[in-house]
Amino acid sequence: VQLQASGGGLVQAGGSLRLSCVASGRTFNSGAVGWFRQFPGKEREVVASIDWNPASVHYGPSEFYAGSVKGRFTIARDSDKNTAYLQMNELRPEDTAIYCCAEDEFAVPAESTRSDYGSWGQGTLVTVSS
């Protein structure tokens, strides 16, 4: 599976960006997709994830958002286009980071980590100016 992330750029605080993650090699009609971000010198952290195997009793809700982005970011997927999105509104300077997408064919925990995903895309830089 190959993932191609795009949509990063420079935006002023309060603005919006939409990141896209296009998959090739499998269809986005099952499994999970996550968006992570990485600050300089820090580990990648999950921003949002979407899991469309909610029947799995071992894991939590089908969508997860980190507390710092809840209410501002929205994750979505279009299985017809094999694309996942991260709509980012009300951006803040502290959202500046490299964002990357990841996927796995199986369900992931409600608050997933890097080890829960089998495939990764390259990062796209999001810069929010004050």
Side-chain angles (χ1 to χ4, degrees):
V1 179
Q2 291 187 324
L3 304 177
Q4 181 72 38
S6 62
L10 173 65
V11 63
Q12 287 188 330
S16 299
L17 283 174
R18 189 177 76 161
L19 305 183
S20 299
C21 177
V22 180
S24 59
R26 83 170 189 94
T27 57
F28 268 173
N29 55 11
S30 65
V33 172
W35 284 97
F36 286 71
R37 65 185 179 187
Q38 187 167 19
F39 303 109
K42 302 289 186 180
E43 292 290 321
R44 286 181 187 177
E45 61 180 40
V46 65
V47 174
S49 65
I50 185 167
D51 176 344
W52 48 100
N53 289 321
S56 174
V57 298
H58 299 294
Y59 299 108
S62 59
E63 290 184 18
F64 168 83
Y65 296 94
S68 59
V69 307
K70 193 173 294 184
R72 300 188 296 124
F73 291 10
T74 303
I75 190 171
R77 54 108 184 177
D78 185 333
S79 57
D80 290 337
K81 297 181 179 179
N82 274 355
T83 302
Y85 302 97
L86 184 67
Q87 178 67 42
M88 305 185 295
N89 299 328
E90 301 176 33
L91 282 162
R92 305 167 181 170
E94 54 264 38
D95 293 317
T96 296
I98 295 174
Y99 288 72
C100 56
C101 58
E103 70 85 38
D104 200 87
E105 62 179 314
F106 299 110
V108 297
E111 187 167 0
S112 53
T113 64
R114 293 182 61 178
S115 62
D116 293 310
Y117 297 88
S119 300
W120 290 82
Q122 89 294 352
T124 184
L125 177 63
V126 172
T127 304
V128 185
S129 62
S130 56

